[in-house]
Amino acid sequence: MEIILSILGAAGLGHMAADFLSRWDWLPDKPCKCNMCMTFWLSVGPFIFLSGGVGIFYAALASIISELYLKILL
């Protein structure tokens, strides 16, 4: 249950970060303004630290959920 909440939280954090950073034109589109890229790069470090090699899978899953957040909200 804890890992599910962590994945959902990381997806929300990545979505909010990409939405916040999309306001500035001088930032590159990838990884700063892309939901999937931003979520993956924000969460891969903490997930690997907490879960080991499986953390890469958790970060990828969080980035896909972040993209689903974008599709559902728009």
Side-chain angles (χ1 to χ4, degrees):
M1 185 67 170
E2 179 184 341
I3 196 65
I4 294 172
L5 291 176
S6 296
I7 290 171
L8 291 175
L13 178 68
H15 177 74
M16 288 189 304
D19 189 35
F20 178 72
L21 293 176
S22 67
R23 298 177 184 182
W24 291 290
D25 293 333
W26 54 272
L27 287 173
D29 287 341
K30 293 200 180 223
C32 294
K33 297 178 186 175
C34 173
N35 278 324
M36 288 184 76
C37 301
M38 179 59 74
T39 303
F40 181 80
W41 290 115
L42 282 178
S43 63
V44 73
F47 279 139
I48 288 176
F49 179 74
L50 293 173
S51 304
V54 181
I56 296 173
F57 171 71
Y58 293 155
L61 192 59
S63 65
I64 292 170
I65 292 172
S66 173
E67 192 66 24
L68 290 175
Y69 283 169
L70 176 69
K71 300 293 181 191
I72 290 171
L73 291 176
L74 292 181

